[in-house]
């Protein structure tokens, strides 16, 4: 399932190190902080590196311009089942919990007699590799997550997207979040 969903290839962060002060940071965060109007979602390691070089983005800690190449850091927690490590024993702890909703979609549809649109909610434990750059810590984190997936007819997606966007604003307002601090961000395909 992790391979079919693309998680083993795309559930990654791009990490880059300052050769001068040894600060490790995510390349996308470095670029977004230096160039707030630049969208980096979905860019390759080479494209991230080119953005850093062409814009001469300096280290936010020591202000040097001496970076390693960006490297892939997979967020899935990889392990082996059994006593012998080989490709047959490779496994991943759950990186997120929405996977079950998609894998079991047909079962839910068949057993609960629902029709589109409908939602499935899930909660549970998830595990991720994590880096804390300030402390040079590499660790696995355990999260308790809740997710909600809402399934709609493709022809009605805009209507339901707007509905849930408005519901999110209502919820944030009820929580006391200042509306001036809330803005939408469009992520390119």
């Amino acid at each position: 399932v992790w391979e079919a969903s693309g998680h083993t290839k795309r559930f990654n962060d791009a990490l880059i190190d300052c050769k001068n002060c040894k600060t490790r940071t995510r390349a996308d965060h470095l670029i977004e902080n230096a160039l707030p109007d630049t969208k980096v979602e979905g860019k390759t390691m080479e494209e991230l590196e080119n953005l850093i070089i062409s814009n001469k983005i300096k280290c936010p800690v020591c202000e040097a311009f001496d970076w390693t190449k960006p490297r892939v850091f997979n967020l899935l927690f990889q392990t082996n089942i059994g006593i012998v490590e080989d490709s047959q024993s490779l496994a991943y702890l759950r990186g997120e919990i929405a996977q079950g909703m998609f894998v079991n979609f047909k079962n839910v549809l068949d057993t609960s007699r629902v029709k589109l649109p409908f939602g499935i909610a899930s909660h549970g434990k998830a595990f991720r590799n994590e880096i804390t750059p300030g402390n040079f810590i590499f660790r696995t984190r355990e999260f308790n997550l809740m997710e909600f997936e809402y399934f709609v007819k493709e022809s009605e997606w805009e209507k339901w997207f707007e509905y849930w966007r408005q519901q999110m604003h209502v919820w944030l307002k009820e929580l006391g979040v200042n509306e001036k601090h809330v803005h939408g961000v469009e992520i390119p395909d």
Side-chain angles (χ1 to χ4, degrees):
V1 171
W2 291 119
E3 288 178 18
S5 68
H7 278 80
T8 56
K9 289 191 173 153
R10 292 189 299 266
F11 198 52
N12 303 313
D13 284 341
L15 298 181
I16 190 166
D17 295 324
C18 174
K19 292 179 185 176
N20 186 53
C21 71
K22 311 299 183 228
T23 296
R24 176 170 287 148
T25 188
R26 283 180 46 180
D28 57 337
H29 288 180
L30 181 71
I31 295 165
E32 288 168 349
N33 289 337
L35 310 167
D37 294 330
T38 303
K39 295 180 181 179
V40 295
E41 182 76 27
K43 297 226 182 273
T44 65
M45 296 293 157
E46 293 78 23
E47 290 170 325
L48 294 172
E49 183 179 22
N50 289 339
L51 278 169
I52 291 167
I53 292 169
S54 64
N55 290 286
K56 295 189 178 0
I57 299 174
K58 295 180 179 178
C59 175
V61 175
C62 71
E63 298 195 10
F65 178 67
D66 192 11
W67 298 105
T68 62
K69 289 186 170 295
R71 295 171 320 283
V72 173
F73 180 72
N74 192 302
L75 297 170
L76 283 179
F77 183 80
Q78 182 177 317
T79 188
N80 291 85
I81 298 172
I83 57 173
V84 178
E85 285 189 25
D86 63 13
S87 63
Q88 297 297 321
S89 68
L90 184 61
Y92 298 95
L93 296 184
R94 191 159 87 165
E96 43 92 350
I97 61 173
Q99 171 197 159
M101 291 180 259
F102 297 109
V103 171
N104 293 312
F105 174 82
K106 181 146 178 32
N107 291 343
V108 171
L109 199 60
D110 291 345
T111 59
S112 61
R113 295 183 278 186
V114 294
K115 293 180 183 173
L116 293 176
F118 71 92
I120 302 175
S122 179
H123 77 292
K125 292 200 181 297
F127 302 84
R128 292 192 189 140
N129 287 318
E130 181 187 60
I131 289 196
T132 306
N135 300 323
F136 298 100
I137 295 173
F138 293 80
R139 61 184 171 203
T140 299
R141 297 291 297 203
E142 179 180 328
F143 299 93
N144 287 309
L145 297 177
M146 291 184 279
E147 295 193 36
F148 176 67
E149 298 290 336
Y150 198 70
F151 300 95
V152 301
K153 292 180 182 174
E154 187 175 356
S155 61
E156 298 177 351
W157 79 265
E158 289 171 314
K159 169 182 137 183
W160 290 108
F161 176 82
E162 186 58 31
Y163 169 79
W164 286 110
R165 194 178 71 75
Q166 290 299 324
Q167 290 300 308
M168 180 63 74
H169 281 278
V170 169
W171 180 65
L172 290 171
K173 189 174 181 178
E174 287 176 2
L175 289 175
V177 175
N178 186 336
E179 289 185 49
K180 292 178 185 174
H181 299 292
V182 178
H183 66 279
V185 177
E186 188 172 330
I187 299 174
D189 293 340

